[in-house]
Amino acid sequence: MALKSKLLLGATGLVLAWPGLAAADPATDAKIAALEAQLSLLQAQIAELKISTGASIAAKRPDAKTASASIAGGKPTITSSDGKFSATLHGVMQLDTAKYDQHDRLPAAVTARDLSGGANFRRARIGVDGRVFGAFDYNILFDFGGSGAEDSGRIQEMWVQYSGLKPLRFRVGAFAPPLGLEDAASTNGALFPERPAAADIARGLAGGDTRIGGGVIGHGDHWFASAIATGALVQSLNSATTAFNAPIFDEQQGYALRVAGTPLHGADWLIHVGANASVVAQPTDLGAAAGTRYALQLRERPELRVDGSRLVDTGQIDARGAQAYGLEFAAQKQNLYIQAEYFDFSVDRRNPAVGASDPSFNGWYAQGSWVLTGERRKYNTTTAAFDAPGVDKPFDPSNGQWGAWELAARYSTIDLNDAENSLIAAERVRGGEQDIWTLGVNWFPNPAVKFMLDYYDVSVDRKNAAGAAIGQDYRALNLRSQIAF
């Protein structure tokens, strides 16, 4: 507006200052016409400047439709102006530091497992997820962590999903299909550093990390259902020390099914129930040169992976298929919650010995927590599982804020023995029985940072092929430091 006034005043001054303006002669008329032409040109320039200036101001308004960049919950996100495209950077660091106490009931020196204490990056992940063309979601995630030792980077998840037909989502790629209440929960907000043994064995049968598959997932406010057809694990050639590069011929074929929900619920409480099934329809073909061509093996670490030893293990079973069926239960009332699952496993032998039956196993766990600072664990309806509690007062000593504090306890058991004393040697499965009591304290200074201190009491009863006891009792203490965004 100031520029317009200056231009008009300048033009008016030129007209008034012209000598002999009042004279009515042809020369004067020509000069007046020239000045009027200049004045019209100036007015046109002023109008054009006004339009361009207004457009510039409008573009700077908060409500203008432009691409945006933000950091919410520690996650950097870029979103297009129409919301149809987005990319969010995310990462996880979990550092475990453990001490093992093995003074009691060690097996003979020749079979003793001297568990190694120390530190290990359990997970070291970086990735990006987002949306393209409105209805398609994606996730790309790489992991450099491991069990017992860190690993070379490998694909953890890489999938694309169509979400335009609500409430269903159609996903294909490499991902862990939901196979239970604990399996569906995010490891970032888990109650303990590792899943219960029974739950982890069940998820690994036809699902588990880096599993290639495709299927449909659906959810509502109080229900969840999924059906995934699964294949092999993602193969990797960059680390000869991992199982990811084991040579295979025909890949495993399986199915992962789950239904769950909260049929009973209130303003500050809920009851969760569910059922799941993991089915191996065709085991992996390891080739004619393998000791057991179609081998299935159930084994597990003792719920802490600073040392990667597996203390219960069925060994390779020549199988034509296997099944794991699970039942889920959980209840929450304000800042108190409990959770339990039961799993039944069965393996169909391919060439059973005369008189030998198909082996079956089972396991279960129960766990719970009490958030001392009053927050409660979040129930995620999109996964039908519990996540970390909110943090009402992030850590700020100057204002007397100390984050969220949680007490936790768990008992888990897994029995991988079947016909262990049978007179038919080929029928015996001496995988062992493992019982673990765990007590923990979790501190959440803010939603991105977490510290976990856990005490383990582990008892393993197991015999080797010759019938000698190779079980052991021990205790362990672990501190996990985590940042996740």
Side-chain angles (χ1 to χ4, degrees), residues 222 261-266 269-273 329-332 379 386:
H222 302 290
T262 54
L264 302 175
H265 51 86
W269 65 275
L270 62 82
I271 301 293
H272 167 104
V273 294
F329 173 82
Q332 183 183 49
Y379 185 80
F386 288 91

Side-chain angles (χ1 to χ4, degrees), residues 86-292:
S86 68
T88 298
L89 181 68
H90 56 271
V92 180
M93 182 280 288
Q94 294 177 344
L95 175 63
D96 286 336
T97 306
K99 174 68 176 177
Y100 294 92
D101 176 8
Q102 297 179 261
H103 296 302
D104 296 340
R105 205 169 73 84
L106 283 173
V110 69
T111 59
R113 295 170 178 83
D114 184 11
L115 302 180
S116 175
N120 174 55
F121 280 104
R122 175 66 177 92
R123 294 179 177 88
R125 297 176 176 176
I126 190 72
V128 61
D129 64 79
R131 179 182 302 114
V132 292
F133 292 96
F136 287 89
D137 302 316
Y138 67 90
N139 187 27
I140 301 171
L141 182 65
F142 292 89
D143 191 7
F144 300 83
S147 300
E150 292 74 27
D151 198 5
S152 301
R154 62 177 184 269
I155 294 172
Q156 178 69 22
E157 290 192 11
M158 189 173 291
W159 50 261
V160 63
Q161 171 180 282
Y162 179 70
S163 305
L165 192 61
K166 297 185 181 301
L168 302 179
R169 294 166 281 158
F170 300 88
R171 182 182 299 181
V172 64
F175 59 96
L179 273 167
L181 182 55
E182 188 70 6
D183 183 34
S186 169
T187 55
N188 298 344
L191 189 59
F192 292 98
E194 301 296 337
R195 298 178 183 89
D200 208 49
I201 292 175
R203 78 187 295 266
L205 196 61
D209 295 335
T210 77
R211 182 70 68 181
I212 296 174
V216 59
I217 303 170
H219 81 279
D221 291 340
H222 302 290
W223 66 271
F224 175 93
S226 64
I228 311 293
T230 65
L233 301 174
V234 173
Q235 296 293 297
S236 172
L237 299 177
N238 61 11
S239 174
T241 62
T242 71
F244 286 87
N245 61 351
I248 63 174
F249 294 84
D250 292 331
E251 295 182 348
Q252 175 177 295
Q253 298 175 17
Y255 304 94
L257 310 171
R258 182 182 182 226
V259 292
T262 54
L264 302 175
H265 51 86
D268 63 351
W269 65 275
L270 62 82
I271 301 293
H272 167 104
V273 294
N276 55 79
S278 179
V279 179
V280 176
Q282 172 61 55
T284 301
D285 182 357
L286 299 177
T292 304

Side-chain angles (χ1 to χ4, degrees), residues 265-328:
H265 51 86
D268 63 351
W269 65 275
L270 62 82
I271 301 293
H272 167 104
V273 294
N276 55 79
S278 179
V279 179
V280 176
Q282 172 61 55
T284 301
D285 182 357
L286 299 177
T292 304
R293 182 166 182 171
Y294 299 95
L296 283 177
Q297 187 170 8
L298 279 61
R299 54 183 181 169
E300 183 58 20
R301 302 173 180 89
E303 300 176 13
L304 180 60
R305 299 195 179 187
V306 174
D307 185 289
S309 300
R310 296 176 171 92
L311 302 186
V312 287
D313 187 342
T314 64
Q316 293 186 337
I317 302 174
D318 187 20
R320 56 184 175 84
Q323 306 83 36
Y325 300 105
L327 296 175
E328 313 169 12

Side-chain angles (χ1 to χ4, degrees), residues 350-390:
R350 181 173 293 273
N351 296 300
V354 177
S357 61
D358 290 333
S360 61
F361 317 98
N362 64 80
W364 61 275
Y365 74 90
Q367 65 184 32
S369 82
W370 177 36
V371 183
L372 299 174
T373 46
E375 297 91 341
R376 59 180 175 178
R377 286 196 156 254
K378 301 174 184 175
Y379 185 80
N380 189 338
T381 58
T382 62
T383 60
F386 288 91
D387 209 337

